[in-house]
């Protein structure tokens, strides 16, 4: 599990069947939800979460 900061509420459809709603703000999510939220552009990026030019997240 990881913590991300959402700029707005986000709905993730687990296996395309079960909706999971996450409120705006800091939320604890698994890697799959975090990746989808980033792809949707709703994750607030900060210095700790910045990505390198190759698109890979710094760890």
């Amino acid at each position: 599990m990881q913590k991300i900061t959402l700029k707005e509420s986000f709905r993730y459809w687990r296996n395309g069947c079960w909706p999971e709603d996450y409120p705006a703000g800091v939320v604890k999510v698994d890697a799959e939800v975090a990746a989808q939220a980033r792809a949707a552009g709703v994750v607030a990026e900060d210095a700790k979460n910045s990505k390198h030019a190759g698109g890979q997240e710094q760890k």
Side-chain angles (χ1 to χ4, degrees):
M1 297 293 267
Q2 57 185 295
K3 287 184 181 180
I4 60 173
T5 302
L6 297 175
K7 296 185 279 188
E8 58 190 66
S9 61
F10 176 70
R11 174 169 278 178
Y12 174 72
W13 288 87
R14 178 92 41 200
N15 298 323
C17 298
W18 300 282
E20 296 177 8
D21 292 323
Y22 297 92
V26 178
V27 293
K28 199 171 194 181
V29 297
D30 62 23
E32 186 175 349
V33 173
Q36 292 299 315
R38 283 188 181 93
V42 297
V43 176
E45 296 294 335
D46 59 23
K48 292 179 186 175
N49 256 351
S50 64
K51 294 182 180 182
H52 288 274
Q56 296 296 315
E57 192 172 320
Q58 185 177 11
K59 294 187 179 188

